[in-house]
Amino acid sequence: MNILIKDLHKSYQINNKIKQIVLKGLNLEIKQGEFCAIIGPSGSGKTTLLNLLGCIDRPDAGRIYFDQQEITELREKQLIQIRRNKIGYIFQFFNLIPTLTALENAQMPFWYARNKEHSKFNDNLSRLYKEIGIDDLKSRYPKQLSGGQQQRVAIARALANFPEFVLADEPTGNLDSVNTKEIMELMKQESKSLKASFLVATHDFSLLNYFDKVITLKDGVIDSISLNN
Ligand SMILES: Nc1ncnc2c1ncn2[C@@H]1O[C@H](COP(=O)(O)OP(=O)(O)OP(=O)(O)O)[C@@H](O)[C@H]1O
Ligand SMILES: [Mg+2]
């Protein structure tokens, strides 16, 4: 998916008097299949931007286009369809459902996304479980898994329904260096095999070599973009 962001503004009303301005006219393009990092100081608005792109929150002004379709004007019902069918989200704290097994957690998005083929989804999920190395953990509950294993399940969940755009908010923030490296390689590989665009928020500068493009957010706008070959 090609993502185009034009003059995006977002602020939070803290109380009657105080308004926190976070994004101040941000412009950005992410091309189809591009594996991108977004970096910037704590509080610079990385999560805010990811939430706007994930159709979880709405901007105050500005426009976001997914493949020429403007999503900022859509109604909630249409946004839900986009969230279910086009977007994958990976969180720092995994966010697995504790009462569901590893397999059920990854199947969950499909229970809601009705317009995709069942067998195609199941084949993709089986492939992911094997490639991600969690095939033998399917029947375990999240509390019976290590952090690295939980994040692998969360990645399978995010990717099973063939997302076109994957948002990851500090996906390796709670992992050791070995798991961090493996998870980064997995995400990059899946970005290529699914031809999905990725935007990964991170504080870890040692990971920046993995990305096609590194976007720096500062003072509410894009401060710089660097491309890796
Ligand atoms: N729901 C909210 N209500 C009020 N203020 C918020 C809300 N969410 C975020 N903020 C504020 O907006 C600013 C940007 O927050 P955001 O979480 O996007 O930063 P971040 O770049 O993701 O930081 P970090 O690297 O620490 O995760 C911060 O000052 C934060 O306090
Ligand atoms: Mg954040």
Side-chain angles (χ1 to χ4, degrees):
M1 179 195 279
N2 183 279
I3 299 103
L4 190 62
I5 304 169
K6 294 212 163 185
D7 200 26
L8 202 66
H9 291 257
K10 179 70 183 175
S11 56
Y12 296 106
Q13 197 75 41
I14 309 290
N15 57 35
N16 299 345
K17 290 185 189 131
I18 304 173
K19 194 172 167 188
Q20 167 111 36
I21 300 171
V22 184
L23 303 180
K24 304 175 188 170
L26 183 148
N27 294 290
L28 181 65
E29 182 174 13
I30 296 171
K31 301 208 171 94
Q32 191 200 344
E34 235 176 5
F35 192 63
C36 303
I38 183 149
I39 59 172
S42 182
S44 58
K46 301 180 294 298
T47 298
T48 299
L49 177 62
L50 262 54
N51 288 341
L52 297 175
L53 293 172
C55 308
I56 294 170
D57 201 358
R58 285 178 185 276
D60 301 333
R63 296 177 193 285
I64 299 170
Y65 299 87
F66 287 170
D67 287 335
Q68 283 94 44
Q69 182 188 21
E70 195 195 331
I71 59 150
T72 18
E73 296 290 318
L74 297 182
R75 291 155 191 252
E76 191 55 31
K77 247 187 166 171
Q78 297 167 295
L79 289 178
I80 289 171
Q81 288 308 318
I82 291 183
R83 277 205 300 268
R84 285 178 183 165
N85 293 309
K86 301 205 169 195
I87 294 180
Y89 220 113
I90 301 167
F91 305 90
Q92 180 176 1
F93 297 101
F94 324 134
N95 290 15
L96 299 177
I97 310 277
T99 53
L100 298 180
T101 64
L103 182 62
E104 290 163 347
N105 261 285
Q107 284 172 332
M108 209 180 49
F110 190 71
W111 300 343
Y112 299 99
R114 293 188 203 93
N115 63 345
K116 298 232 175 146
E117 288 167 51
H118 203 266
S119 61
K120 224 174 130 195
F121 173 89
N122 275 334
D123 289 351
N124 192 36
L125 193 54
S126 304
R127 177 190 71 82
L128 282 164
Y129 266 80
K130 288 191 189 87
E131 262 172 40
I132 292 176
I134 48 172
D135 207 33
D136 52 343
L137 304 174
K138 280 181 188 152
S139 58
R140 294 214 202 166
Y141 288 91
K143 68 166 190 270
Q144 300 170 317
L145 298 170
S146 73
Q149 290 168 335
Q150 287 186 54
Q151 194 61 306
R152 285 173 169 74
V153 173
I155 289 175
R157 174 180 63 184
L159 302 181
N161 202 24
F162 304 96
E164 295 171 44
F165 187 24
V166 178
L167 298 151
D169 201 351
E170 302 188 44
T172 60
N174 280 294
L175 302 178
D176 63 33
S177 59
V178 174
N179 272 302
T180 291
K181 192 167 174 285
E182 288 173 2
I183 292 283
M184 285 305 301
E185 276 162 10
L186 260 172
M187 289 196 301
K188 177 143 194 186
Q189 181 194 320
E190 287 304 324
S191 136
K192 300 303 164 209
S193 57
L194 292 168
K195 296 187 177 63
S197 313
F198 269 63
L199 185 60
V200 181
T202 183
H203 284 283
D204 188 345
F205 283 69
S206 74
L207 303 181
L208 299 184
N209 280 336
Y210 284 101
F211 295 95
D212 301 324
K213 185 153 130 182
V214 177
I215 301 154
T216 307
L217 186 57
K218 197 180 150 198
D219 300 326
V221 294
I222 302 303
D223 186 57
S224 65
I225 291 179
S226 69
L227 299 174
N228 290 327
N229 307 319

